[in-house]
């Protein structure tokens, strides 16, 4: 880069590593709390219409789908429509027509749009992002702030920084030839398929490929349509040209089948459950002979994350960390702790301390600032989580509900934070992703700590996050080595959730995903198709080797 000004900064300042967006506290009476309450009131008292967005078109026909508030499911937050297969094909054509110009822009110009978007998220639209995430996805104030505001802002700023960083590497040139690398976007289009649980993930799945020069079809989750559409509008206001990202709420299989059967599919950027990713992967395999290029498949999926507690562990950290990891956002983080392995010697004290805090957990509407938890996302999630709790209540697998275990969907999809003691190591409570506020504890004899870590290593098909709590450094090292292949993100003496962009690049191993580490420097390369150019200055004259003389 030269020294000219860029986003009001010199290029040298521009290249400076960003810092993470500070998390606002929203204390009662604070300016930010007042602004948030105003935004909550505004969005809660109306139903917002969300169109399909393709190029310059806003399509609002037949708004027959509803996004409801999970904690009060009679209330409709937004109305939207599903894109048909024809809409999706049209968006592909519009994207491909816009691709050439966008992909050839200097990276700096694309980055500038995303930096502007980050500023809009941090300022003008912060409360709209948080309020729609709270009302639509059932997050409390802090959970919305760390996701919809801070993580999204961080994704836009750090992705910009990491993308520019790619261009720092220059291949070696010689006196007779110059070598260079051009980070082209992928040839074709990228389909970004987003989950409901993190607003920021929707922005990253679509935004990261676009920064690199791709055109993107963004399918938000049905239960996160409004917050995701606010991001779309922010990108538009920041200067994203029409056609680069299409916004396409759609029926999952209709979207999946349409994009996977198109010869121009260049990548799927997916976050969601393992079965959905496997479905998409199979569709791509079925269509393999039809593609112009091998589509890249980037998928971040579920987990069965654990806290392993060694007898030497600091118990307060275990209690606080487990409570937060298992119950924050109702356990609906892919990284949420759902298995606790704890030694006999610590179990009674753990239970005493954990129960005290458990009693203090308030569950309710997100409009009540004093709640710790709200409702789970929808009726399907409610039924799934309830079935696991009922399984435990039936006494199957030697399971026993110790705390919580009640649920009620008459007003909202409420499930109380639940602790289950499980004695069967193979129990589905210890092997399947529940994705709700259910923590299963397995109590082990102190002397078997190392044997148990070895058993945990291959106990599930997942490999997302895990935590080891131990004051014994030698054990910590040994456990880290044993668990080397068992997670993508390992935490030592910390909870298994809460990764921060730029600090803990995130992604799981095994069936938890392709482990491309969102929020890290290498993620962006997945959306590039680098072109190496060698230019030789001297004419080619000799074809014989010296050894032939
Ligand atoms: N590893 C991570 O980084 C990470 C992050 C967040 C969530 N998750 C995982 O996501 C899951 C929760 O999210 P969810 O309930 O939204 O997941 P999901 O798999 O139900 O849906 C994800 C997206 O896929 C779409 N979809 C469904 N069927 C489809 C099909 N046949 N073709 C194409 N798209 C289809 C959905 O409409 C949605 O937009 C959990 O398993 C969680 O662990 C993982
Ligand atoms: N970044 C999140 C995980 C996202 C999955 O839902 C965390 O680590 O808490």
């Amino acid at each position: 880069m030269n020294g000219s000004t860029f986003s009001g900064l010199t290029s040298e300042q521009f290249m400076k590593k960003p810092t993470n967006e500070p998390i606002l506290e929203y204390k009662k009476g604070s300016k930010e709390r007042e602004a948030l309450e105003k935004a909550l009131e505004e969005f809660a008292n109306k139903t917002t219409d969300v169109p399909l967005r393709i190029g310059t078109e806003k399509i609002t026909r037949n708004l027959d789908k509803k996004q409801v508030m999970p904690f009060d499911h009679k209330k409709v937050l937004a109305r939207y429509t599903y894109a048909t297969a024809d809409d999706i094909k049209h968006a592909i054509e519009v994207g491909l027509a816009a691709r050439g110009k966008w992909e050839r822009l200097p990276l700096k110009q694309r980055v500038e749009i995303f930096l502007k978007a980050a500023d809009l998220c941090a300022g003008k639209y912060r409360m709209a992002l948080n309020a729609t995430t709270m009302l639509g996805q059932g997050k409390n104030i802090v959970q919305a702030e760390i996701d919809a505001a801070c993580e999204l802002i961080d994704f836009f700023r750090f992705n910009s920084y990491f993308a520019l960083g790619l261009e720092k590497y220059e291949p070696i040139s010689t006196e007779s030839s110059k070598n260079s690398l051009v980070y082209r976007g992928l040839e074709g289009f990228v389909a970004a398929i987003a989950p409901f649980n993190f607003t920021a993930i929707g922005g990253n799945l679509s935004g990261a490929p676009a920064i690199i020069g791709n055109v993107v079809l963004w399918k938000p989750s049905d239960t996160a349509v409004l917050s995701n559409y606010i991001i779309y509008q922010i990108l538009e206001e920041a200067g994203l040209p029409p056609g680069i990202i299409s916004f396409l709420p759609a029926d999952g299989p209709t979207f999946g089948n349409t994009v996977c059967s198109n010869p121009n599919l260049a990548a799927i950027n997916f976050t969601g459950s393992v079965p959905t990713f496997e479905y998409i992967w199979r569709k791509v395999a079925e269509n393999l002979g039809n593609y112009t290029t091998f589509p890249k498949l980037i998928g971040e999926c579920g987990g069965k994350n654990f806290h392993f507690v060694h007898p030497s562990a600091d118990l307060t950290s275990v209690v606080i960390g487990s409570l937060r990891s298992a119950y924050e956002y109702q356990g609906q983080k892919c990284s949420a702790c759902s298995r606790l392995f704890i030694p006999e010697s610590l179990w009674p004290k753990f239970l005493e301390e954990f129960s005290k805090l458990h009693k203090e957990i308030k569950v309710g509407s997100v409009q009540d600032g004093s709640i710790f938890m709200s409702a789970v996302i929808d009726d399907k999630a409610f039924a799934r989580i309830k079935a696991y709790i009922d399984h435990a209540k039936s006494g199957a697998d030697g399971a026993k509900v110790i705390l919580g275990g009640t649920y009620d969907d008459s007003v909202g999809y409420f499930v109380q934070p639940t602790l289950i003691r499980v004695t069967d190591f193979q129990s589905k409570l210890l092997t399947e992703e529940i994705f709700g506020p259910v923590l299963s504890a397995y109590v082990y004899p102190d002397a078997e700590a190392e044997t148990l870590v070895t058993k945990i290593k291959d106990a599930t098909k997942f490999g997302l996050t895990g935590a080891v709590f131990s004051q014994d450094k030698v054990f910590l090292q040994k456990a880290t080595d044993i668990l080397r292949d068992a997670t993508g993100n390992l935490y030592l003496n910390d909870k298994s959730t809460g990764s921060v962009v730029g600090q803990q690049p995130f992604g799981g191993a095994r069936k938890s995903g392709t482990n491309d580490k969102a929020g890290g420097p290498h993620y962006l390369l997945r959306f590039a198709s680098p072109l190496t150019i060698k230019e030789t200055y001297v004419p080619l004259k000799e074809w014989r080797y010296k050894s032939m003389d």
Side-chain angles (χ1 to χ4, degrees), residues 193-198 201 219-222 250-257 270-274 276-277 279-280 300-303 333-335 433 435 464 506-508 512:
I193 305 175
F196 77 84
N197 69 333
F198 269 76
I201 292 180
K219 189 202 115 32
S221 164
D222 287 359
D251 165 62
T254 304
F255 186 84
N257 297 348
F270 172 84
T271 299
S273 61
V274 176
T276 310
F277 192 46
Y279 176 93
I280 291 167
E300 295 305 332
C301 304
K333 297 187 186 186
C334 56
S335 51
E433 185 181 45
F435 217 55
L464 192 51
F506 191 81
S512 291

Side-chain angles (χ1 to χ4, degrees), residues 259-318:
V259 296
C260 290
S261 58
N262 191 290
N264 293 299
L265 177 72
I268 299 272
N269 199 16
F270 172 84
T271 299
S273 61
V274 176
T276 310
F277 192 46
E278 286 184 342
Y279 176 93
I280 291 167
W281 197 297
R282 281 194 196 99
K283 281 282 152 206
V284 169
E286 277 170 25
N287 287 288
L288 206 54
N290 303 329
Y291 299 124
T292 307
T293 179
F294 284 107
K296 295 197 186 184
L297 300 179
I298 299 113
E300 295 305 332
C301 304
K304 187 69 187 173
N305 315 297
F306 62 84
H307 281 184
F308 181 86
V309 183
H310 185 256
S312 68
D314 171 62
L315 193 68
T316 309
S317 299
V318 174

